[in-house]
Amino acid sequence: MSDSGDTSRASVKTYVPTYQKSEWQSHADDLDMSQSEFVRTMVQAGRKGFESGSAEPDSPDPDPGGNALETQVLKLLSADTYSWDELLEAVSDDIESRLDETLEELQSNNRIRYSGRHGGYTTVDGGGDGD
């Protein structure tokens, strides 16, 4: 366990795609933060998502506690009665749509491609090809 009272500073380096750095800088500017403070704050916020049991700490859902599935189920059941299969279909449709959108975006950014030869998606740099 770390000593949270220690206020000394240490450098942490990471490498991200240029477009991502630009997005982070723009967001940091909007929040009137330095890029270092922005990254530190976002990492801490993301860690809280993991600590709360959230399966998706960066989920676009506005539920900061990580109980988006619970919220969605309660919303569905407040309007009607659903069987197990109907609930499963209702909540999994969202993930299918999000996965489809994400795959389209990654392909349009030339980060992944569909490889018929390998029967699935792979990174453009070939990292998932097994070659």
Side-chain angles (χ1 to χ4, degrees), residues 44-130:
Q44 288 301 104
R47 290 184 67 223
K48 287 181 182 175
F50 282 110
E51 292 167 3
S52 70
S54 171
E56 300 176 325
D58 58 344
S59 173
D61 193 290
D63 181 0
N67 293 320
L69 181 59
E70 178 180 316
T71 302
Q72 189 175 2
V73 168
L74 290 172
K75 182 178 178 183
L76 288 166
L77 294 177
S78 70
D80 204 351
T81 301
Y82 288 79
S83 70
W84 169 266
D85 291 334
E86 291 168 332
L87 278 172
L88 184 60
E89 182 178 338
V91 299
S92 64
D93 183 51
D94 180 53
I95 190 66
E96 287 179 24
S97 297
R98 288 174 46 207
L99 176 59
D100 187 50
E101 290 170 9
T102 300
L103 289 172
E104 285 179 18
E105 182 179 327
L106 288 169
Q107 287 180 90
S108 70
N109 291 334
N110 202 31
R111 295 182 64 201
I112 66 167
R113 65 181 169 82
Y114 183 81
S115 171
R117 182 174 139 211
H118 292 94
Y121 292 93
T122 185
T123 57
V124 169
D125 66 7
D129 276 345

Side-chain angles (χ1 to χ4, degrees), residues 20-30 33-35:
Q20 190 172 42
K21 182 178 190 284
S22 295
E23 288 176 10
W24 289 359
Q25 185 62 59
S26 177
H27 196 177
D29 290 344
D30 291 345
M33 299 171 104
S34 70
Q35 194 164 15

